[in-house]
Short mmCIF file of all heavy atoms in Angstrom, two decimals:
data_model
loop_
_atom_site.label_atom_id
_atom_site.label_comp_id
_atom_site.label_asym_id
_atom_site.label_seq_id
_atom_site.Cartn_x
_atom_site.Cartn_y
_atom_site.Cartn_z
N ALA A 13 91.91 136.18 62.07
CA ALA A 13 93.33 136.16 61.71
C ALA A 13 94.15 135.36 62.71
O ALA A 13 95.15 134.74 62.35
CB ALA A 13 93.86 137.60 61.62
N THR A 14 93.72 135.36 63.97
CA THR A 14 94.43 134.56 64.99
C THR A 14 94.27 133.07 64.68
O THR A 14 95.25 132.32 64.71
CB THR A 14 93.88 134.86 66.39
OG1 THR A 14 93.95 136.26 66.62
CG2 THR A 14 94.67 134.12 67.46
N LEU A 15 93.05 132.66 64.38
CA LEU A 15 92.83 131.25 64.07
C LEU A 15 93.58 130.86 62.80
O LEU A 15 94.16 129.77 62.72
CB LEU A 15 91.34 130.96 63.93
CG LEU A 15 90.49 131.17 65.19
CD1 LEU A 15 89.08 130.62 64.98
CD2 LEU A 15 91.12 130.53 66.41
N ALA A 16 93.61 131.76 61.82
CA ALA A 16 94.34 131.46 60.58
C ALA A 16 95.83 131.32 60.86
O ALA A 16 96.50 130.43 60.34
CB ALA A 16 94.08 132.56 59.54
N ARG A 17 96.34 132.20 61.73
CA ARG A 17 97.78 132.16 62.04
C ARG A 17 98.14 130.89 62.80
O ARG A 17 99.17 130.27 62.55
CB ARG A 17 98.17 133.39 62.87
CG ARG A 17 99.64 133.45 63.27
CD ARG A 17 100.01 134.81 63.87
NE ARG A 17 99.15 135.18 64.98
CZ ARG A 17 99.30 134.75 66.24
NH1 ARG A 17 100.28 133.92 66.55
NH2 ARG A 17 98.48 135.13 67.19
N LEU A 18 97.29 130.49 63.74
CA LEU A 18 97.58 129.28 64.51
C LEU A 18 97.41 128.03 63.64
O LEU A 18 98.10 127.03 63.85
CB LEU A 18 96.67 129.21 65.74
CG LEU A 18 96.94 130.31 66.78
CD1 LEU A 18 95.90 130.25 67.90
CD2 LEU A 18 98.34 130.19 67.36
N GLY A 19 96.50 128.11 62.67
CA GLY A 19 96.37 127.08 61.65
C GLY A 19 96.39 125.67 62.19
O GLY A 19 95.57 125.29 63.02
N ARG A 20 97.38 124.90 61.73
CA ARG A 20 97.46 123.49 62.09
C ARG A 20 97.64 123.28 63.59
O ARG A 20 97.25 122.24 64.12
CB ARG A 20 98.62 122.85 61.34
CG ARG A 20 98.25 122.22 60.01
CD ARG A 20 99.50 121.89 59.19
NE ARG A 20 100.60 121.39 60.02
CZ ARG A 20 100.77 120.10 60.35
NH1 ARG A 20 99.92 119.21 59.91
NH2 ARG A 20 101.79 119.72 61.08
N ARG A 21 98.26 124.26 64.27
CA ARG A 21 98.50 124.09 65.71
C ARG A 21 97.19 123.85 66.46
O ARG A 21 97.18 123.25 67.54
CB ARG A 21 99.21 125.31 66.30
CG ARG A 21 100.72 125.33 66.03
CD ARG A 21 101.35 126.62 66.51
NE ARG A 21 101.16 126.86 67.93
CZ ARG A 21 101.34 128.05 68.51
NH1 ARG A 21 101.70 129.09 67.78
NH2 ARG A 21 101.15 128.19 69.80
N LEU A 22 96.09 124.36 65.94
CA LEU A 22 94.80 124.17 66.61
C LEU A 22 94.36 122.71 66.60
O LEU A 22 93.50 122.31 67.37
CB LEU A 22 93.72 125.02 65.92
CG LEU A 22 93.92 126.53 65.95
CD1 LEU A 22 92.90 127.22 65.08
CD2 LEU A 22 93.82 127.05 67.38
N HIS A 23 94.96 121.92 65.70
CA HIS A 23 94.55 120.52 65.59
C HIS A 23 95.56 119.58 66.23
O HIS A 23 95.38 118.37 66.21
CB HIS A 23 94.35 120.16 64.11
CG HIS A 23 93.25 120.96 63.47
ND1 HIS A 23 91.92 120.60 63.52
CD2 HIS A 23 93.29 122.15 62.83
CE1 HIS A 23 91.19 121.51 62.91
NE2 HIS A 23 91.99 122.47 62.49
N GLU A 24 96.63 120.15 66.79
CA GLU A 24 97.67 119.33 67.41
C GLU A 24 97.50 119.35 68.93
O GLU A 24 96.84 120.23 69.47
CB GLU A 24 99.05 119.88 67.03
CG GLU A 24 99.35 119.72 65.53
CD GLU A 24 100.54 120.54 65.08
OE1 GLU A 24 101.12 121.28 65.92
OE2 GLU A 24 100.88 120.45 63.89
N PRO A 25 98.12 118.41 69.63
CA PRO A 25 98.06 118.44 71.09
C PRO A 25 98.67 119.74 71.61
O PRO A 25 99.61 120.23 70.97
CB PRO A 25 98.92 117.24 71.52
CG PRO A 25 98.97 116.36 70.31
CD PRO A 25 98.88 117.27 69.12
N PRO A 26 98.21 120.30 72.72
CA PRO A 26 97.12 119.75 73.53
C PRO A 26 95.75 120.25 73.08
O PRO A 26 94.76 119.96 73.72
CB PRO A 26 97.44 120.34 74.91
CG PRO A 26 98.03 121.68 74.60
CD PRO A 26 98.81 121.50 73.32
N TYR A 27 95.68 120.98 71.95
CA TYR A 27 94.39 121.59 71.59
C TYR A 27 93.48 120.63 70.86
O TYR A 27 92.30 120.51 71.14
CB TYR A 27 94.64 122.86 70.76
CG TYR A 27 95.57 123.83 71.43
CD1 TYR A 27 96.82 124.12 70.90
CD2 TYR A 27 95.19 124.42 72.62
CE1 TYR A 27 97.67 124.99 71.55
CE2 TYR A 27 96.04 125.30 73.27
CZ TYR A 27 97.28 125.59 72.74
OH TYR A 27 98.12 126.43 73.37
N GLN A 28 94.02 119.95 69.87
CA GLN A 28 93.31 118.91 69.11
C GLN A 28 92.25 119.43 68.15
O GLN A 28 92.01 118.85 67.11
CB GLN A 28 92.65 117.86 70.03
CG GLN A 28 93.57 117.27 71.08
CD GLN A 28 94.58 116.29 70.53
OE1 GLN A 28 94.73 116.13 69.33
NE2 GLN A 28 95.31 115.63 71.42
N ALA A 29 91.58 120.52 68.53
CA ALA A 29 90.52 121.04 67.67
C ALA A 29 90.34 122.53 67.98
O ALA A 29 90.62 122.96 69.09
CB ALA A 29 89.22 120.31 67.93
N PRO A 30 89.90 123.30 66.99
CA PRO A 30 89.62 124.71 67.27
C PRO A 30 88.54 124.83 68.35
O PRO A 30 87.75 123.91 68.54
CB PRO A 30 89.11 125.25 65.93
CG PRO A 30 89.58 124.26 64.91
CD PRO A 30 89.62 122.93 65.60
N PRO A 31 88.53 125.96 69.08
CA PRO A 31 87.54 126.08 70.16
C PRO A 31 86.12 126.00 69.64
O PRO A 31 85.78 126.59 68.63
CB PRO A 31 87.84 127.46 70.76
CG PRO A 31 88.68 128.18 69.75
CD PRO A 31 89.38 127.15 68.95
N ALA A 32 85.29 125.23 70.35
CA ALA A 32 83.89 125.06 69.95
C ALA A 32 83.01 126.14 70.56
O ALA A 32 82.01 126.54 69.98
CB ALA A 32 83.39 123.68 70.38
N ALA A 33 83.37 126.61 71.75
CA ALA A 33 82.57 127.60 72.47
C ALA A 33 83.41 128.87 72.64
O ALA A 33 84.64 128.82 72.50
CB ALA A 33 82.17 127.04 73.84
N PRO A 34 82.79 129.99 72.92
CA PRO A 34 83.58 131.21 73.17
C PRO A 34 84.57 130.98 74.31
O PRO A 34 84.23 130.34 75.30
CB PRO A 34 82.52 132.24 73.59
CG PRO A 34 81.23 131.72 73.06
CD PRO A 34 81.35 130.22 73.07
N VAL A 35 85.79 131.48 74.12
CA VAL A 35 86.83 131.34 75.14
C VAL A 35 86.93 132.68 75.88
O VAL A 35 87.33 133.69 75.30
CB VAL A 35 88.18 130.97 74.50
CG1 VAL A 35 89.26 130.84 75.57
CG2 VAL A 35 88.06 129.68 73.70
N LEU A 36 86.51 132.68 77.13
CA LEU A 36 86.36 133.94 77.88
C LEU A 36 87.41 134.07 78.97
O LEU A 36 87.93 133.09 79.48
CB LEU A 36 84.99 133.99 78.56
CG LEU A 36 83.76 133.89 77.67
CD1 LEU A 36 82.50 134.04 78.53
CD2 LEU A 36 83.79 134.97 76.61
N TYR A 37 87.67 135.33 79.31
CA TYR A 37 88.48 135.62 80.49
C TYR A 37 87.88 136.83 81.17
O TYR A 37 87.02 137.52 80.60
CB TYR A 37 89.95 135.84 80.12
CG TYR A 37 90.18 136.86 79.03
CD1 TYR A 37 90.32 138.22 79.33
CD2 TYR A 37 90.24 136.47 77.70
CE1 TYR A 37 90.54 139.15 78.34
CE2 TYR A 37 90.46 137.39 76.69
CZ TYR A 37 90.60 138.74 77.01
OH TYR A 37 90.79 139.67 76.02
N LEU A 38 88.32 137.09 82.40
CA LEU A 38 87.85 138.27 83.12
C LEU A 38 88.94 139.32 83.21
O LEU A 38 90.13 139.00 83.28
CB LEU A 38 87.44 137.91 84.56
CG LEU A 38 85.99 137.47 84.78
CD1 LEU A 38 85.82 136.02 84.39
CD2 LEU A 38 85.60 137.68 86.23
N LYS A 39 88.51 140.58 83.20
CA LYS A 39 89.40 141.69 83.55
C LYS A 39 88.86 142.24 84.87
O LYS A 39 87.87 142.99 84.89
CB LYS A 39 89.37 142.77 82.46
CG LYS A 39 89.86 142.29 81.08
CD LYS A 39 91.34 141.99 81.00
CE LYS A 39 92.19 143.21 80.74
NZ LYS A 39 93.55 142.90 80.24
#
Side-chain angles (χ1 to χ4, degrees):
Chain A
T14 306
L15 296 190
R17 179 170 54 82
L18 293 174
R20 268 167 38 87
R21 280 174 59 197
L22 297 172
H23 298 274
E24 293 166 358
Y27 306 114
Q28 309 286 9
V35 179
L36 301 183
Y37 52 88
L38 271 81
K39 298 290 276 198

